[in-house]
Amino acid sequence: EDMYRMDETNCPRGKLGKDRVAGGAGKRTQHQQGGANRETVTALVTICADGSTLRPTVIFKGQNLWSEWTENNGWTDSEIAIEWIKTQFDPQTREKAQSRRRVLLMDGHSSHFTEPVIQFVLTYDIIVMGYPPHCTHALQGLDVVCFAKMKTELKDAVAEFEGLHGNPVAKGDFTGVFGAAFVKAFTEDSVLAAFRATGIHPYDPSVIKPEKLKPAEALSVKSSFALTQTSPVKA
């Protein structure tokens, strides 16, 4: 109950990808109304090994925060990391821990391990563990299990909002749309599966097979050029 993992993901505000639509027979092209906004919003999601989640943090792009964006909440650099752990992670987990040590697993990005962050976690007895480089595809449970489900739910939520309101998802609408998708995606079962699939809890190192952590191999693809090339280009 005191072990957590955090990761961030980019969430589109517009409808992306392909959908099946019903349309008139004989037409070569079918159309579906929807927003074309390709701007993404960053979400910081934290899950616990007991199957629970913390309130997610939503990060908008922009120099100023409009109050309407948070009515239905970007930040991730070094300043955001210390702000998040002080104002979100610690307050949401301190009472539950009841003075017990807390463990937080997250990407080993340098912005997560600045001096202010290290000083803060040492003061409040929080152990922060970073994944080794190039291993998050196997070790980060949010990537392995949860985020794919959330992207599907968010896509459906965006489509439902656009169909109901007849307009794209604005920044002021996003937190409500994202929240609906988040609740459906981050169930207790999916959170527990994220820890189990990566061998974190229950602790099981055998889950991570050696081939998952092998370095990428350079592969050569032989083909021909449309035009005759010089020897150096061929080489």
Side-chain angles (χ1 to χ4, degrees):
E1 64 268 27
D2 297 314
M3 181 182 295
Y4 301 86
R5 61 197 323 167
M6 183 275 281
D7 197 15
E8 60 196 55
T9 185
N10 290 324
C11 304
R13 286 201 291 117
K15 256 180 113 267
L16 302 178
K18 296 180 179 180
D19 285 316
R20 296 178 182 271
V21 299
K27 293 184 178 180
R28 296 185 60 184
T29 303
Q30 306 291 346
H31 297 279
Q32 182 178 13
Q33 185 68 29
N37 192 328
R38 292 183 176 271
E39 181 182 278
T40 59
V41 178
T42 300
L44 303 186
V45 177
T46 309
I47 58 177
C48 181
D50 66 1
S52 62
T53 63
L54 301 189
R55 293 190 303 273
T57 298
V58 176
I59 304 168
F60 293 101
K61 294 180 180 179
Q63 293 183 335
N64 299 297
L65 179 69
W66 284 25
S67 59
E68 68 170 23
W69 298 355
T70 62
E71 288 176 357
N72 253 349
N73 253 344
W75 351 316
T76 71
D77 54 25
S78 58
E79 293 183 3
I80 291 172
I82 183 61
E83 188 72 12
W84 172 80
I85 203 166
K86 279 185 175 181
T87 65
Q88 299 300 316
F89 177 77
D90 180 53
Q92 292 188 58
T93 60
R94 185 190 307 150
E95 182 177 353
K96 179 182 176 183
Q98 296 183 348
S99 300
R100 294 187 302 265
R101 178 171 294 164
R102 290 164 283 174
V103 176
L104 175 62
L105 295 90
M106 56 185 179
D107 293 349
H109 193 275
S110 59
S111 66
H112 296 162
F113 296 92
T114 60
E115 183 177 352
V117 171
I118 293 172
Q119 289 178 343
F120 183 86
V121 298
L122 288 175
T123 301
Y124 290 93
D125 200 18
I126 301 169
I127 296 178
V128 177
M129 304 181 72
Y131 303 110
H134 313 299
C135 294
T136 54
H137 66 284
L139 301 179
Q140 174 54 277
L142 285 158
D143 284 339
V144 173
V145 176
C146 300
F147 282 155
K149 172 67 173 173
M150 194 186 77
K151 294 295 177 66
T152 300
E153 295 292 351
L154 182 60
K155 180 181 176 183
D156 292 343
V158 169
E160 181 179 356
F161 178 92
E162 293 180 346
L164 180 64
H165 297 278
N167 56 267
V169 177
K171 285 184 176 179
D173 307 315
F174 181 79
T175 50
V177 174
F178 171 84
F182 179 87
V183 169
K184 291 181 180 179
F186 284 87
T187 62
E188 180 178 346
D189 287 343
S190 66
V191 172
L192 292 175
F195 283 89
R196 185 171 57 249
T198 50
I200 300 297
H201 182 75
Y203 180 62
D204 184 7
S206 66
V207 169
I208 307 300
K209 306 300 181 184
E211 55 267 23
K212 289 185 178 181
L213 302 182
K214 288 176 63 176
E217 297 180 0
L219 301 177
S220 175
V221 179
K222 294 184 178 180
S223 185
S224 59
F225 292 100
L227 301 175
T228 303
Q229 304 296 320
T230 60
S231 296
V233 172
K234 289 182 181 179

